[in-house]
């Protein structure tokens, strides 16, 4: 158990769902890691389910980058459910995970009553969705200071206090 590693980048390392099993075991008992970059790997909804289990137990991770994987709406939703009671993770990056092409799925992920729609611990949340849904999410979550929800042509950034 490493007591000094605070930031770890495993981006673009070809990590797939099988690789997430080992990483999740480490996340469950980790008491030091604050930032984890897993973007640009090969993590699918199956890996998202496994990762969600680790996130339920982890109390130190504050920033998680999962952009440019293939989690899809179901994988992202599973992670959202794991974060319902997690107030440690404040920054979550999920763009380019197979949701951009499915605007309806993106809207459903941030609707009222959903894990991401009600999570008050997140300060920065990045996911492709429609402009109006982004504004509604910001209005419901007063803790959300920066939000970027949009497509490549339509980025929404909001700041609150």
């Amino acid at each position: 158990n490493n007591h000094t590693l605070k930031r770890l980048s495993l981006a673009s390392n070809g990590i797939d769902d099988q690789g997430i099993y080992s990483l999740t075991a480490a996340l469950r008992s980790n008491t030091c890691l604050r930032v984890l970059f897993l973007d640009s790997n090969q993590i699918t909804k199956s890996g998202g389910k496994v990762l969600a289990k680790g996130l339920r137990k982890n109390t130190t991770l504050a920033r998680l980058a999962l952009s440019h994987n293939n989690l899809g709406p179901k994988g992202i939703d599973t992670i959202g459910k794991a974060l319902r009671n997690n107030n440690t993770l404040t920054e979550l990056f999920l763009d380019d995970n197979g949701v951009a092409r499915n605007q309806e799925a993106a809207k459903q992920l941030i609707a009222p009553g959903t894990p991401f729609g009600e999570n008050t611990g997140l300060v920065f949340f990045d996911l492709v969705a429609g402009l109006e849904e982004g504004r509604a999410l910001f209005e419901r979550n007063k803790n959300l200071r920066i939000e970027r929800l949009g497509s490549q042509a339509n980025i929404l950034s909001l700041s609150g206090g």
Side-chain angles (χ1 to χ4, degrees), residues 93-147:
F93 300 86
L94 292 166
D95 60 306
D96 197 14
N97 263 292
V99 178
R101 294 173 296 279
N102 188 341
Q103 288 288 310
E104 197 53 44
K107 291 174 188 177
Q108 289 175 7
L109 285 169
I110 60 173
T114 64
F116 288 120
E118 302 300 327
N119 186 305
T120 58
L122 291 175
V123 174
F124 185 95
F125 181 73
D126 186 352
L127 175 71
V128 172
L131 183 64
E132 290 306 312
E133 289 75 16
R135 286 178 203 238
L137 176 64
F138 183 72
E139 288 300 314
R140 287 194 309 275
N141 186 346
K142 298 301 180 187
N143 292 334
L144 199 59
R145 290 186 182 44
I146 301 172
E147 156 188 351

Side-chain angles (χ1 to χ4, degrees), residues 5-11 15 20 23-24 27 33-39 51 55 58 61-66 89 91-93:
L5 185 66
K6 301 212 183 295
R7 182 180 172 114
L8 178 62
S9 178
L10 296 171
I15 296 173
I20 290 297
L23 183 62
T24 299
L27 276 178
L33 191 66
R34 305 266 306 138
V35 178
L36 179 60
F37 294 100
L38 291 171
D39 43 319
L51 185 59
L55 291 173
N58 184 280
L61 198 63
R63 183 179 200 185
L64 177 60
L66 288 166
L89 189 72
E91 296 181 56
L92 182 59
F93 300 86

Side-chain angles (χ1 to χ4, degrees), residues 56-100:
R56 279 188 197 102
K57 304 276 185 195
N58 184 280
T59 58
T60 58
L61 198 63
R63 183 179 200 185
L64 177 60
L66 288 166
S67 300
H68 309 286
N69 280 288
N70 195 25
L71 292 167
K74 288 185 180 179
I76 290 172
D77 184 58
T78 302
I79 290 169
K81 288 175 182 171
L83 297 176
R84 268 198 171 125
N85 298 314
N86 180 322
N87 290 320
T88 308
L89 189 72
T90 57
E91 296 181 56
L92 182 59
F93 300 86
L94 292 166
D95 60 306
D96 197 14
N97 263 292
V99 178

